[in-house]
């Protein structure tokens, strides 16, 4: 409520001491379901934290040089794991982002002229301009983004950091989400309170949140330690690199449907299972899909 009043008043500048007090008070509430079990309440705190610029968790915003601050999580090799319904011998070590790419991070690509620079779009269907996100808090996952835009962002980030960055293949995504033992959900058996999906815990029967939420809002829904990757089930569908009919990428120029994994805030839990696959055309943009 305080944050809504602040916006209604024209978002005036606030004293640094007050902002520090709010951040210290709200952050533990946003990220601790034991203290605030209601997902709607934590989501409201997350929105306020984002709009007031108080969410400084690693992996959510930008680095000092203005590039996205990706909090990379190492997935070790060689470890056999369950892929779909069969044993896979294992993948080379790779790293995956702890959180989905946020509005703040994608905006850095836009502000750097990412849609005008042909280098990032070679072999891709170039999008002339971004769609506005349905929800624009800096710490919410970027949605309304196509597979082509996600790949262009990765190329831009690769050039800026000097490290090869790409979308995960479907094999990599499922290894991160299901572990080696083939978990049903990233944390294990189904628990409705562990993700942002179309579940309801209140008597009114409405979804707990009904939109995207700040990334990492469900710590109990992250993969088990030591990996701790968040939002692999629910919040936004996540683009993978490969075509829907192939689990290994064959090149970015194909216009085949690309894979989406993990379900979104409007999905029933079955669509959020870590083994569930979906695929759509790579140029489509929806307010349920990110990366």
């Amino acid at each position: 409520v305080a944050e809504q009043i602040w916006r209604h008043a024209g978002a005036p500048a606030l004293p640094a001491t007050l902002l520090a007090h709010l951040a210290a008070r709200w952050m533990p509430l946003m990220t601790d379901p034991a203290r605030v079990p209601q997902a709607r309440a934590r989501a409201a705190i997350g929105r306020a934290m984002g709009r007031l610029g108080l969410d400084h968790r690693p992996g959510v915003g930008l680095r000092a040089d203005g590039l996205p601050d990706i909090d990379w999580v190492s997935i070790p090799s060689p470890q056999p794991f369950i892929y779909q319904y069969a044993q896979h011998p294992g993948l080379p070590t790779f790293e995956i982002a702890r959180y989905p790419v946020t509005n703040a991070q994608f905006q850095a690509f836009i502000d750097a002229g990412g849609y005008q620079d042909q280098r990032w779009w070679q072999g891709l269907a170039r999008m002339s301009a971004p769609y506005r996100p349905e929800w624009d808090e800096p710490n919410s996952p970027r949605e309304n983004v196509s597979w082509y835009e996600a790949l262009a962002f990765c190329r831009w980030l690769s050039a800026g950091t000097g490290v090869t960055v790409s979308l995960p293949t479907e094999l990599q995504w499922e290894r991160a989400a299901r572990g080696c033992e083939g978990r049903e959900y990233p944390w294990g058996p189904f628990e409705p309170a562990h993700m942002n999906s179309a579940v309801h815990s209140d008597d009114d029967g409405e979804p707990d949140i009904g939109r995207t939420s700040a990334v990492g809002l469900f710590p109990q829904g992250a993969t088990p330690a030591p990996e701790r990757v968040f939002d692999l089930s629910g919040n936004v569908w996540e683009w993978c690199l490969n075509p829907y009919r192939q689990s290994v990428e064959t090149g970015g120029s194909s216009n085949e449907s690309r894979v989406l994994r993990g379900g979104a805030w409007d999905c029933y839990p079955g669509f959020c299972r870590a083994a569930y696959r979906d695929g759509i055309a790579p140029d489509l943009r929806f307010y349920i899909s990110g990366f």
Side-chain angles (χ1 to χ4, degrees):
V1 171
E3 180 270 328
Q4 291 177 7
I5 293 171
W6 170 76
R7 281 192 292 134
H8 185 73
L14 298 176
T17 52
L18 174 59
L19 292 173
H21 168 75
L22 292 175
R25 177 179 178 133
W26 287 354
M27 181 60 75
L29 301 178
M30 182 182 80
T31 55
D32 188 352
R35 296 179 63 179
V36 183
Q38 300 88 356
R40 292 181 188 175
R42 296 200 314 279
I45 296 170
R47 293 192 295 272
M49 292 282 289
R51 289 167 180 157
L52 285 166
L54 302 179
D55 192 347
H56 301 302
R57 291 173 293 166
V60 173
L62 304 178
R63 307 187 325 189
D65 61 3
L67 288 173
D69 175 29
I70 307 296
D71 187 9
W72 295 108
V73 178
S74 180
I75 308 296
S77 69
Q79 295 180 322
F81 66 99
I82 303 296
Y83 175 68
Q84 294 295 293
Y85 301 101
Q87 185 85 359
H88 190 281
L91 298 169
T93 296
F94 66 94
E95 294 183 330
I96 192 165
R98 192 177 304 278
Y99 305 113
V101 170
T102 64
N103 282 313
Q105 293 170 339
F106 195 79
Q107 189 62 44
F109 168 66
I110 298 172
D111 293 344
Y115 282 82
Q116 292 75 46
D117 196 327
Q118 184 59 40
R119 288 178 295 170
W120 320 135
W121 300 90
Q122 291 180 11
L124 305 177
R126 184 174 177 180
M127 319 297 277
S128 60
Y131 275 7
R132 290 181 60 86
E134 189 74 12
W135 300 284
D136 62 359
E137 298 87 9
N139 57 351
S140 290
R142 180 71 184 206
E143 20 78 13
N144 262 336
V145 60
S146 71
W147 181 86
Y148 293 126
E149 290 166 292
L151 202 57
F153 172 93
C154 291
R155 292 175 175 179
W156 166 77
L157 188 57
S158 297
T161 61
V163 177
T164 301
V165 178
S166 184
L167 293 173
T169 67
E170 198 173 3
L171 286 163
Q172 291 172 327
W173 190 96
E174 189 163 324
R175 164 63 184 86
R178 301 185 73 194
C180 297
E181 65 272 30
R183 298 184 293 262
E184 182 181 13
Y185 293 88
W187 59 85
F190 173 62
E191 290 287 349
H194 284 15
M195 60 182 170
N196 180 8
S197 66
V199 298
H200 53 83
S201 56
D202 296 334
D203 293 337
D204 59 13
E206 294 296 321
D208 280 350
I209 298 177
R211 50 152 293 176
T212 60
S213 56
V215 297
L217 195 72
F218 293 84
Q220 74 275 45
T223 57
E227 292 167 0
R228 301 290 288 166
V229 182
F230 290 74
D231 293 356
L232 290 170
S233 282
N235 216 359
V236 288
W237 289 97
E238 298 180 355
W239 286 109
C240 290
L241 187 61
N242 54 281
Y244 182 76
R245 291 187 288 184
Q246 303 176 59
S247 61
V248 179
E249 161 65 5
T250 58
S253 60
S254 169
N255 293 323
E256 290 186 66
S257 292
R258 299 285 163 163
V259 174
L260 288 165
R261 299 296 295 266
W265 59 267
D266 71 335
C267 293
Y268 290 108
F271 295 102
C272 300
R273 290 181 298 108
Y276 185 83
R277 312 176 67 236
D278 203 354
I280 61 173
D283 61 341
L284 294 182
R285 301 188 269 199
F286 296 109
Y287 55 74
I288 56 175
S289 56
F291 67 107

